[in-house]
Amino acid sequence: MEKSVNSNKILFFGITKDITGLSELYLNLEGKSIATFKEELTLKFPKLKLLSSLNIALNHEYVPLDLIISLGDEIALIPPVSGG
Amino acid sequence: MEKSVNSNKILFFGITKDITGLSELYLNLEGKSIATFKEELTLKFPKLKLLSSLNIALNHEYVPLDLIISLGDEIALIPPVSGG
Amino acid sequence: MKNLVQLVDSIDLDSVISFVSNTSCGAVSIFLGTVRSHTKEKAVKKLLFEGYAPMAIKQMELIIAESNELYGIEKMAIQHVLGEKYVGEQVVAIAASAPHRQNAMDACTFAIDTLKKRVPIWKKEFFDDGAIWVSSHP
Amino acid sequence: MKNLVQLVDSIDLDSVISFVSNTSCGAVSIFLGTVRSHTKEKAVKKLLFEGYAPMAIKQMELIIAESNELYGIEKMAIQHVLGEKYVGEQVVAIAASAPHRQNAMDACTFAIDTLKKRVPIWKKEFFDDGAIWVSSHP
């Protein structure tokens, strides 16, 4: 899907970029929960399961897994952070 | 007593300088304990008793009160410190 | 409370310290992170820091707000680098000022501990025989 | 372990940080003390620091040795001023480096706490209506 107002922008960082070969992706995730999105993505890229943790951020915040995604929300894959 | 090899140098710092009006003093303290020196000094300058603490240093170290002073030892009055 | 939060190419420690210094405060605590030459006895060639910039800024601002709530600091500044860094270079600087030193020091400790747990920045270590994403590699 | 211990006219923070920085260490913790504008709501005009120099140096060296024994630091530097200092000026700087940050931060806290208890330096505070030796005044 191309970038459009009818989609969600999904960002990949660190090792998730290497695993998926993607840095950005546009999908319509409207109405899906964070948990469902994560499950579907992991089915497509099983290597994501190997990470010790994988958080999903929504609009620059850590959110609970049962949160429902709205159109326009920015999603990001947050593998274990290692700043500092 | 004048400064000589037959004496002990006694140094006064901070408020003890104000109380005694002295910054240096030379006395022969050979054979006296730190406790005795402190007692005699306090008799001479009773205002020293008003301090919340008064340590006596010998040769740049904190020492126990029963230590015996030798000729040539450098003594210093250490009122409550307030560096930093 | 005012704060300074920046993602930078190079740490400017003077600006971090100047920002928090204040005549109503007697104490400034500073933490400085640098690139180590070795990780588990393997020689490090360089590091690459990648960040999710807007979220990283937001999370660092949150850390300052929490530091203030927990420790009553006067000001705090956090600078973190993105990009390539070599051995000995500075990668993160955190400074906190407070009227009393224990608060400034506790806030600084809390901030770096929390930054390492929560701020979306990732470090790739390059060795002679390859590279890994720290903490992430399966 | 190498250390740097100095009584100075003015703090040189760069030299303190450079001294402890080390490619085998990822963490530097720094404490910086400055002159506050007020003490118990009284405006401070200036401070005077007096020290028993040889004993102060010896005690600061002892603090570094103990910090190393307790926390396994790599390097530590302590600078303290003597003489007159005005509001906002730096009066003490302590820096510690260690392979791991908690050790550097704990050592820095221990060092400033112990310095304030044990190092023979005295601070006289000058106000509009007089002056007192801090902690000492009957």
Side-chain angles (χ1 to χ4, degrees), chain A residues 6-8 27-33 68-73:
Chain A
N6 292 319
S7 68
N8 292 95
L27 288 175
N28 184 332
L29 299 174
E30 190 179 14
K32 279 190 186 170
S33 71
I68 302 299
I69 301 166
S70 299
L71 217 52
D73 286 344

Side-chain angles (χ1 to χ4, degrees), chain A residues 5-71:
Chain A
V5 287
N6 292 319
S7 68
N8 292 95
K9 185 182 190 179
I10 304 158
L11 295 163
F12 298 78
F13 292 100
I15 198 164
T16 66
K17 217 190 266 180
D18 296 351
I19 290 175
T20 63
L22 298 164
S23 61
E24 271 187 33
L25 180 66
Y26 292 86
L27 288 175
N28 184 332
L29 299 174
E30 190 179 14
K32 279 190 186 170
S33 71
I34 295 282
T36 304
F37 162 68
K38 192 174 163 180
E39 209 180 299
E40 292 178 359
L41 196 75
T42 309
L43 277 174
K44 203 167 169 190
F45 302 104
K47 275 193 170 175
L48 291 175
K49 264 186 256 177
L50 298 174
L51 301 176
S52 59
S53 80
L54 178 61
N55 280 302
I56 310 292
L58 185 136
N59 299 332
H60 313 139
E61 276 176 21
Y62 292 108
V63 291
L65 280 169
D66 59 1
L67 196 100
I68 302 299
I69 301 166
S70 299
L71 217 52

